[in-house]
Amino acid sequence: MSLLLRAKCFQRLTISGFVRDLHREHRIATPQNFSNYESMKQDFKLEVPEYFNFAKDVLDQWTNMEMAGQRPSNPAFWWIDENGGEVRWSFEELGSLSRKFANILTETCSLEKGDRVIVILPKIPEWWLANVACLRTGTVLIPGTTQLTQKDLLYRLQTSKAKCIITDDSLAPAVDAVAPTCENLHFKLLVSQNSREGWGDLKEMMKHASDNHTCVMTKHDEMMAIYFTSGTTGPPKMIGHTHSSFGLGLSVNGRFWLDLTPSDVMWNTSDTGWAKSAWSSIFSPWIQGACVFVHHLPRFESTSILQTLSNFPITVFCSAPTAYRMLIQNDMSSYKFKSLNHCVSAGEPINPEVIEQWRNRTGLDIYEGYGQTETVLICGNFKGMKIKPGSMGKPSPAFDVKILDESGNILPPEQEGDIGIQALPNRPFGLFTHYVVVKAFIVLNPDYKSHDQEQLKKEIQDHVKRSTAPYKYPRKVEFIQELPKTISGKIKRNELKKKEWKTI
């Protein structure tokens, strides 16, 4: 068994003795997309085609169904803000606007398939358009949280070698401060009501862009997006996802854990900088043809969240356990959640007391899910399953999951251990491709061919650390006989990338 992930499972204790200050009838959750857990595991099969692009093969297909009257009248995207602003797009409108954005990337910014684009925006409609535009152009999306500092921006720009960045007024000054040291950065797009020297005005460009754009052909295993980890144990790592690992892999989230249909309205409160936003604000709901709902708030406000859940026809709600804890501290007796029928949680363990109090006040359970930036849903509580306090459920149908000891041996039931995912001989398609690291391919001068290669690697890495920023050093070094080159003498970097990926 190949252990791709090792995540400690800590036992959680039930907290008893709290007062039930409000009781509502418990609503039994009936799955819409499966009969029970056993049938879900047995029936789950997904073919991975050679070519796949989420914009063309999913979003545009929903547009066709919408135009043929084969989808409910739900919008595909529904956005509101604290000032009463509102945006509603059908799949057809989402397609038209994202094609305009795609033309800006390819024509105005001269970006090509495989070029990397950093997108750091709050929860505004342009963030969703940027995601879909990158899919249509085959450019590699790199999202970032708006809380990044100038140092963080420098690290991400230099490490990713991004050619374009898209952001707003809040981060534009920090980008300008570091841009002179980012040699790969050629284009800067600003989402703002104001213009800024050296930046393209995206809102103005969208007014004049054509929506005539042909989606590029992308193979299912080509790079689609790169997510930076939080960097809690060292410099943030770049995690690469392909067009199929999220574009197809997250069907397990949308179909089973979120249990979505085209009639549903899905609200996920995650920040746009993290993979959870890709999980539940883009791929999972749109795979199922559901509506993505967004409430743009400058900060988390419990009363605003509760009012929104009460006033809008939101059927599925996803938020972090911390948010649920804040929500139950309010007097919820005046709120009526008429449409809400499914609540899920991820990101950290949820306290059983929170689940119990939420159930007492809404009549709904909270179904916990667990996964990582590197994966889709690994395990979770699914509709129809009895929720056990302190348990995060059963394995998702996407993976063969076992609980293992430190030596990789399968543990018996009731034993605490590590989560292990079977990755060989058949690699699950819901996994990330690999960690994107700096690798150096080096042709040795004849005088050095007899030297100890491991010692040479260390000397080269140490030299780069001393000569440049420490994080720029090549994590991997390979000595080769010659570099592949074009007739004009340019290095064929794509061939080197393919050579590296075949070893993973």
Side-chain angles (χ1 to χ4, degrees), residues 128-388:
W128 278 263
L129 291 181
N131 275 260
V132 182
C134 285
L135 289 168
R136 292 192 182 281
T137 56
T139 51
V140 179
L141 173 82
I142 307 175
T145 174
T146 55
Q147 299 175 12
L148 294 178
T149 65
Q150 183 172 308
K151 181 180 178 182
D152 295 328
L153 285 168
L154 176 64
Y155 176 79
R156 281 159 175 76
L157 283 164
Q158 290 187 335
T159 306
S160 69
K161 295 180 169 53
K163 288 189 176 181
C164 176
I165 187 167
I166 305 169
T167 191
D168 62 5
D169 290 317
S170 63
L171 284 178
V175 173
D176 283 338
V178 301
T181 60
C182 302
E183 58 183 19
N184 293 286
L185 182 63
H186 300 306
F187 310 100
K188 299 179 292 185
L189 296 178
L190 186 68
V191 182
S192 172
Q193 299 299 331
N194 306 307
S195 60
R196 186 179 180 89
E197 186 178 354
W199 290 74
D201 186 333
L202 185 63
K203 289 184 180 292
E204 190 64 26
M205 290 177 178
M206 287 289 289
K207 294 177 183 177
H208 306 287
S210 167
D211 66 354
N212 183 17
H213 181 272
T214 301
C215 186
V216 300
M217 294 284 288
T218 53
K219 289 191 173 183
H220 76 88
D221 56 356
E222 288 184 301
M223 188 77 74
M224 178 201 73
I226 294 173
Y227 298 88
F228 276 89
T229 61
S230 57
T232 53
T233 59
K237 296 188 291 291
M238 292 191 294
I239 294 170
H241 272 283
T242 66
H243 283 272
S244 64
S245 61
F246 265 8
L248 288 173
L250 282 169
S251 62
V252 71
N253 293 41
R255 182 180 172 191
F256 298 122
W257 183 51
L258 299 174
D259 194 36
L260 292 165
T261 72
S263 298
D264 282 302
V265 178
M266 167 84 201
W267 184 18
N268 168 49
T269 64
S270 299
D271 184 276
T272 53
W274 308 115
K276 185 60 176 68
S277 205
W279 272 35
S280 299
S281 295
I282 295 179
F283 295 103
S284 297
W286 281 341
I287 284 170
Q288 295 297 107
C291 170
V292 171
F293 183 89
V294 187
H295 189 176
H296 177 40
L297 293 167
R299 58 188 175 278
F300 189 93
E301 297 175 346
S302 297
T303 55
S304 295
I305 300 294
L306 293 171
Q307 286 171 358
T308 302
L309 287 171
S310 182
N311 295 338
F312 290 85
I314 296 157
T315 59
V316 183
F317 179 61
C318 177
S319 202
T322 299
Y324 281 106
R325 284 196 295 270
M326 295 172 66
L327 292 175
I328 62 173
Q329 292 173 11
N330 293 265
D331 179 5
M332 297 170 59
S333 59
S334 62
Y335 299 102
K336 308 296 182 184
F337 310 113
K338 296 178 181 179
S339 299
L340 192 63
N341 59 47
H342 191 34
C343 300
V344 296
S345 173
E348 58 181 299
I350 190 165
N351 193 306
E353 180 184 8
V354 175
I355 296 177
E356 184 70 14
Q357 291 204 29
W358 184 260
R359 181 191 299 125
N360 290 339
R361 300 175 186 210
T362 66
L364 296 167
D365 287 306
I366 299 173
Y367 292 82
E368 186 172 8
Y370 172 74
Q372 294 181 297
T373 305
E374 292 91 336
T375 72
V376 296
L377 187 78
I378 296 174
C379 54
N381 287 298
F382 301 89
K383 278 186 180 179
M385 182 187 295
K386 182 179 179 180
I387 297 177
K388 298 179 180 179

